Amino acid sequence: MENSIYNKQLYAILEKVSPVEPALWEELKAMVKVTAVKKRRYISGEEFDLHIVLSGMIIHRLDGNHSEGGQVQDFISSGQCFHHLEKRERSSFEADEDSVVVLIRNKKVMKLMVKYPKFTAHLQHFYAEALLRRTYRGTLIGLIAQDRKARFKKNYPAAYLKCSINDKSSFLGMTASYYSKIDI
C-alpha cells in the first residue's frame, strides 16, 4: 500500500474487530492492492477475492447492471467487505460514488489464515456481517412499505442519504414512484 491514509483506514477497520499483530500487518501492507473506483464503474476480481471498502458506497446488483436495471441486493459502505461470486450469482459490484477499495486475492487470504490464526477472527467478523446484510432483505418481506423504508433509513443511513431512489426502491422491492410517495 502506498498511501499512509489508506494504511490508517485499513488498520483502524481491522483493529476495531480484533488486535492486529505487527507481523500480520506488515504482510497485509505488502499484499493488498488499493484501488480508486469512479462512480458507475464496476469492480472486478477473481472468485472469492476479498474487497474491503475504505470509502464510498458499492452496490451489489443481481442479474444485470445499472443500465439494465439489475436488482439491488446490497449496499456496501466503508468498513464493510464483499467477495466476488459473480460467476455463481450472475451479479456485479458497482461504485455508487467515487470509492476506494482494498483487494486481497483469495490465495493470499488463505495464506494469511494459515500463518496468522488471529486473522480468522477478522474474516469471521466480515463474513458474519456480510451474511447479516444478505439476509436483511428477507426480514422486510412481511412489512408494509412505510415500515420497510423506515427500517432501511435506520439500518442503512449512508445509502438512504446518498443512493438513488431507483436503487433504494429496488432493494426494498417497490417501484421508485411508490417509494417517493411514502412519508416517514
Side-chain angles (χ1 to χ4, degrees):
M1 283 170 71
E2 299 166 11
N3 194 323
S4 64
I5 293 170
Y6 300 132
N7 277 347
K8 289 177 185 176
Q9 287 176 317
L10 179 59
Y11 187 82
I13 289 167
L14 295 172
E15 189 72 17
K16 194 186 288 187
V17 175
S18 180
V20 181
E21 56 189 271
L24 168 61
W25 179 239
E26 290 306 314
E27 279 201 49
L28 267 172
K29 287 192 306 183
M31 68 175 49
V32 300
K33 179 183 177 192
V34 177
T35 306
V37 184
K38 292 288 188 189
K39 183 176 182 166
R40 297 286 177 237
R41 299 287 185 204
Y42 294 94
I43 301 167
S44 62
E46 297 172 16
E47 198 167 36
F48 299 113
D49 281 353
L50 174 69
H51 274 95
I52 300 172
V53 180
L54 297 182
S55 66
M57 176 76 62
I58 307 300
I59 296 179
H60 180 200
R61 294 184 193 280
L62 293 179
D63 294 326
N65 58 39
H66 177 73
S67 62
E68 296 169 355
Q71 180 185 19
V72 174
Q73 179 71 24
D74 197 7
F75 296 94
I76 306 150
S77 58
S78 299
Q80 297 177 330
C81 79
F82 60 93
H83 272 83
H84 284 275
L85 298 170
E86 301 92 273
K87 292 175 185 164
R88 294 174 189 254
E89 299 182 328
R90 296 184 350 193
S91 67
S92 61
F93 295 96
E94 172 189 353
D96 186 64
E97 60 187 10
D98 289 355
S99 303
V100 176
V101 297
V102 170
L103 166 65
I104 308 174
R105 294 281 182 202
N106 180 40
K107 292 175 184 173
K108 293 179 180 181
V109 169
M110 298 301 195
K111 177 184 169 190
L112 289 174
M113 287 175 57
V114 171
K115 192 168 182 181
Y116 301 99
K118 266 252 194 218
F119 186 63
T120 304
H122 296 96
L123 293 176
Q124 287 173 339
H125 167 79
F126 287 131
Y127 297 154
E129 184 180 71
L131 284 172
L132 283 174
R133 287 193 327 265
R134 272 235 155 133
T135 58
Y136 176 78
R137 291 178 74 224
T139 66
L140 302 175
I141 290 173
L143 300 177
I144 62 171
Q146 188 172 13
D147 290 344
R148 280 186 271 164
K149 187 173 179 179
R151 283 199 186 175
F152 176 72
K153 180 180 181 182
K154 178 183 174 194
N155 294 311
Y156 286 83
Y160 182 81
L161 292 173
K162 297 177 182 180
C163 294
S164 74
I165 290 173
N166 286 336
D167 288 338
K168 293 183 280 192
S169 61
S170 171
F171 181 76
L172 295 172
M174 58 184 80
T175 65
S177 61
Y178 187 63
Y179 175 91
S180 299
K181 294 175 186 175
I182 299 170
D183 192 27
I184 57 168

